[in-house]
Amino acid sequence: MAISMTAAAARHVRGYLDNRGKGIGIRLGVRTSGCSGMAYTLEFADEMQSEDLVFESEGVKVIVDPKSLLYLDGTQLDYTREGLNEGFKFNNPNVKDACGCGESFNI
């Protein structure tokens, strides 16, 4: 079981952590939402919970709770720029279907 980041995603996260002046990494999770059933959550992590799992990729810690890991195992987090749009892209091999707007997914 693992979560990874591309170099571009890690650079972006490190830059934000440096600007914040605090934080131990990012927290990646899932929640029930959207038309396909599940949506990703991504936030800065300032502390860990006892049950959290930590994956280090490109020098950045990705913190995941055990329930979310069931849906995220094997996911690679990328940061892309396409024209005027930029943002995180979740390359999740577990996704069976996603909504048209890209907001949510189903496993």
Side-chain angles (χ1 to χ4, degrees):
M1 297 186 131
I3 307 291
S4 63
M5 298 180 106
T6 64
R11 272 193 309 274
H12 190 74
V13 170
R14 268 195 306 277
Y16 271 97
L17 287 171
D18 290 345
N19 286 340
R20 282 182 84 225
K22 64 178 182 175
I24 58 172
I26 58 167
R27 181 175 298 281
L28 177 60
V30 294
R31 63 180 166 83
T32 303
S33 178
C35 47
S36 289
M38 311 214 58
Y40 297 104
T41 61
L42 189 62
E43 61 189 14
F44 294 108
D46 294 328
E47 58 186 41
M48 289 187 43
Q49 305 300 318
S50 60
E51 68 276 1
D52 283 340
L53 301 159
V54 179
F55 302 93
E56 190 159 336
S57 185
E58 300 284 333
V60 175
K61 289 181 180 161
V62 180
I63 301 162
V64 181
D65 67 272
K67 289 181 183 176
S68 292
L69 185 59
L70 296 172
Y71 303 100
L72 297 170
D73 185 31
T75 297
Q76 182 186 54
L77 185 59
D78 193 8
Y79 192 81
T80 61
R81 291 183 182 172
E82 296 173 7
L84 297 176
N85 298 318
E86 63 181 288
F88 287 103
K89 180 178 177 183
F90 301 90
N91 299 313
N92 186 341
N94 305 302
V95 171
K96 302 277 189 266
D97 191 28
C99 68
C101 65
E103 183 80 16
S104 62
F105 64 96
N106 189 349
I107 292 187

